Amino acid sequence: MSLPEKAFPVSWDQFHRDARALAWRLAGLEQSFTAIVCVTRGGLVPSAIISRELEIRLIETVCIASYHDYTDQGETLLLKGISGDLTKNGGEGVLIIDDLTDTGNTAREVREMLPNAHFACVYAKPQGVPMVDTFVTEVSQDTWIYFPWDMGFTYQAPIKKAPSEK
C-alpha cells in the first residue's frame, strides 16, 4: 500500500482533545439534544466522548460502509438503519456524530434519514463541509487522516477480514 503524499496522523491524545473541542462547540449552541446517532465505525469514539461531555445517554448507531478497503472510497452500503423513534419529526433534537466528512456521501445518506438532526464531526474536508453543521478542524481534500485506531508504529491492517473480503 502506498501512503498518500499528505498525511495527517492523529494520536489518541489529540483525537480526545479534538472530540472534546467538538463537545464544547455543541454545548455552546445551547441546543437540547435528546439522543446521539453515531455513524459507525468512525463515529464510535467521538460519540462516547461527546455523550459523556453533554450527558446524553441515548445512543443509536447507523452502520454505513463507504471505504471497502483502507484507501478507496466506494458506494455507500447501508448495513443497519436508525430506529423509528429517532426518525420521528425528521430527527429533530438528534445529534449525528462522525469522525470525518470526506466527500459528504455518507453524511448525505444519513441526512436523508434525519433531515432535521444536527450533524457534527471532528474533521471535515471541503467536499463534505456543506453536509455538516459543526466540525472542529478542516483539512484539504487530498489529505489522508490516520486515526489512532488505525495505527501502531505503522499502519495496522485489521486482524480479521470481513466475510466479503475473503
Side-chain angles (χ1 to χ4, degrees), residues 67-84:
Y67 284 92
H68 305 291
D69 65 31
Y70 189 68
T71 58
D72 297 315
Q73 191 175 34
E75 290 186 30
T76 58
L77 176 62
L78 180 64
L79 304 172
K80 179 193 157 296
I82 302 165
S83 70

Side-chain angles (χ1 to χ4, degrees), residues 10-73:
V10 179
S11 68
W12 282 107
D13 288 346
Q14 184 63 49
F15 191 80
H16 190 228
R17 282 190 298 272
D18 290 344
R20 288 192 73 209
L22 180 58
W24 295 332
R25 285 191 183 176
L26 294 166
L29 298 175
E30 297 184 14
Q31 184 176 346
S32 178
F33 297 110
T34 58
I36 289 175
V37 169
C38 163
V39 181
T40 68
R41 293 180 303 210
L44 289 166
V45 174
S47 290
I49 295 164
I50 291 164
S51 70
R52 178 191 178 279
E53 295 297 330
L54 300 183
E55 296 190 32
I56 301 170
R57 297 210 177 244
L58 179 57
I59 303 172
E60 168 72 277
T61 59
V62 59
C63 305
I64 298 178
S66 63
Y67 284 92
H68 305 291
D69 65 31
Y70 189 68
T71 58
D72 297 315
Q73 191 175 34

Side-chain angles (χ1 to χ4, degrees), residues 130-149:
M131 296 309 303
V132 298
D133 300 304
T134 305
F135 64 92
V136 173
T137 302
E138 185 171 351
V139 298
S140 64
Q141 198 67 43
D142 59 344
T143 296
W144 188 264
I145 300 174
Y146 289 95
F147 289 100
W149 48 86

Side-chain angles (χ1 to χ4, degrees), residues 71-147:
T71 58
D72 297 315
Q73 191 175 34
E75 290 186 30
T76 58
L77 176 62
L78 180 64
L79 304 172
K80 179 193 157 296
I82 302 165
S83 70
D85 288 348
L86 296 182
T87 59
K88 291 178 185 170
N89 298 323
E92 193 171 317
V94 173
L95 176 60
I96 304 165
I97 300 290
D98 205 352
D99 59 347
L100 164 73
T101 181
D102 189 328
T103 62
N105 292 340
T106 300
R108 187 174 293 105
E109 189 164 334
V110 177
R111 278 253 189 237
E112 289 174 6
M113 295 178 224
L114 300 169
N116 298 328
H118 187 95
F119 202 120
C121 60
V122 182
Y123 305 107
K125 293 185 179 182
Q127 288 180 7
V129 166
M131 296 309 303
V132 298
D133 300 304
T134 305
F135 64 92
V136 173
T137 302
E138 185 171 351
V139 298
S140 64
Q141 198 67 43
D142 59 344
T143 296
W144 188 264
I145 300 174
Y146 289 95
F147 289 100

